[in-house]
């Protein structure tokens, strides 16, 4: 399990958010006239998050706005739906298309299926970033949206948001920036002097963003924020119903009833940590990430994928099966993510990893040596599954296998 909060589950920050959640377990912000405190908490979480993304720049005139959601996927779904309907109203597009880099999150595939949008997934460049020139070639009269990540989940690399912004402006289309992972790290890393390229609403052309509070914002799971450049775009997120016998109805997000306790927990987390706390957390995880990068580079059988900008370190190998290494690491208690195109694995560095960097590198080195000495899958390992799936040319069949797996798992 990937846990972003440091320390014990029975004390400190865990105890704080658990107490906040329990105090507001009965609340539901759907009823705005009843649960005033939770409504205020949500507004303040959105405002504080927006401030990190450039909302205080005078050029925006206080127009940046948003809502809390259940997570990054819902934030992305809402941004895509709002962009689709905004572009329909603005340009009359009725057969919408969106263009995303190969590294963009799978939530965009889900959005394309849900909202009947044609999806173009474009290969990344040699640095594993969104390739602006390739994206440009797919833009046409039906394009509503292009996408960048800061950083991308697979390799921790920031897409060229400024280039994408210029492209979006030139074609008068929307640009969504996925900051689900980086939203509560990159603003502070930049303040600390790390070389972070521009990624927020200060980039002209950015129309929406997704920022997960439940990642490095250290809020309870189920809390994210979707932000928009202005209210004109956000209005297309809402659903209003006027002819229901149950009365007039309007809802801002996909869910009707929402757990107010998670909103309270997010507010409590942000208020407790504060700017100085986030700065210190960022310093610790960025330095731990750099140490891991250096350690991986010193294992000659491994190679880092691209140039990580943040706290994800992805690595593969040309001389051994990286998925077999992953199985050995799993047997030692490490939970790493298996990636494809190219075959690789990554570690997402959190506060939990800060005190155990040396242990991780020691186990990784030993795991590599074990695979070198005894190549072949271990009993119960997933390496054969990942390896076979990566080699199957019929990707539709792979999709069917995944659906059958899910159907039998839940």
């Amino acid at each position: 399990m990937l846990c972003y909060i440091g320390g014990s589950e029975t004390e400190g920050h865990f105890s704080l958010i658990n107490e906040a959640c329990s105090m507001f377990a009965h609340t539901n912000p759907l009823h705005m006239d009843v649960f005033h405190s939770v409504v205020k908490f949500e507004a303040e979480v959105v405002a504080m998050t927006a401030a990190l993304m450039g909302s205080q720049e005078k050029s925006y005139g206080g127009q940046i706005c948003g809502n809390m959601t259940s997570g990054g996927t819902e934030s992305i779904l809402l941004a895509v739906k709002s962009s689709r309907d905004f572009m329909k109203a603005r340009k009359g597009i009725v057969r919408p298309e969106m263009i995303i880099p190969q590294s963009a999150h799978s939530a965009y595939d889900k959005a394309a299926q849900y909202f009947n949008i044609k999806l173009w997934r474009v290969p990344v460049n040699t640095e594993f970033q969104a390739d602006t020139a390739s994206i440009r070639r797919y833009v046409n009269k039906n394009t509503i949206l292009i996408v960048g990540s800061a950083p991308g989940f697979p390799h921790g690399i920031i897409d060229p948001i400024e280039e994408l912004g210029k492209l979006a402006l030139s074609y008068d289309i929307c640009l969504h920036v996925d900051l689900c992972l980086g939203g509560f790290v990159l603003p502070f890393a930049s303040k600390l002097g790390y070389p972070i390229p521009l990624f927020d609403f200060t980039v002209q052309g950015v129309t929406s963003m997704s920022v997960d509070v439940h990642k490095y914002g250290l809020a309870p799971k189920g809390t994210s924020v979707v932000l928009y450049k202005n209210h004109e775009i956000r209005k297309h997120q809402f659903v209003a119903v006027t002819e229901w016998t149950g009365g007039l109805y309007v809802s801002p997000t996909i869910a009707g009833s929402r757990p107010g306790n998670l909103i309270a927990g997010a507010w409590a987390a942000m208020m407790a940590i504060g700017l100085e706390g986030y700065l210190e957390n960022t310093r610790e995880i960025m330095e731990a990430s750099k140490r891991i990068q250096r350690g991986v580079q010193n294992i000659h059988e491994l190679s880092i994928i691209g140039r990580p900008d943040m706290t994800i370190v992805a690595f593969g190998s040309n001389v051994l099966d990286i998925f077999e290494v992953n199985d050995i690491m799993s047997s030692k208690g490490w939970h790493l993510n298996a990636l494809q195109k190219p075959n690789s694995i990554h570690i997402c560095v959190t506060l939990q990893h800060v005190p155990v960097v040396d242990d991780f590198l020691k186990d990784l080195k030993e795991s590599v040596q074990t695979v070198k000495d005894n190549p072949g899958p271990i009993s119960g390992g997933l390496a054969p599954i990942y390896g076979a799936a990566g080699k199957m040319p019929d990707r539709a069949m792979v999709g069917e296998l995944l659906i059958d797996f899910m159907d039998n798992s839940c």
Side-chain angles (χ1 to χ4, degrees), residues 328-350:
I328 302 294
M329 289 293 284
S330 295
S331 72
K332 295 176 180 287
W334 299 100
H335 180 76
L336 308 179
N337 283 88
L339 313 172
Q340 61 178 350
K341 299 181 180 182
N343 288 352
S344 49
I345 56 179
H346 85 208
I347 179 172
C348 179
V349 181
T350 73

Side-chain angles (χ1 to χ4, degrees), residues 306-321:
R307 291 180 293 181
D309 289 303
M310 209 185 82
T311 52
I312 280 183
V313 183
F315 48 92
S317 177
N318 292 323
V319 298
L320 47 78
D321 188 332

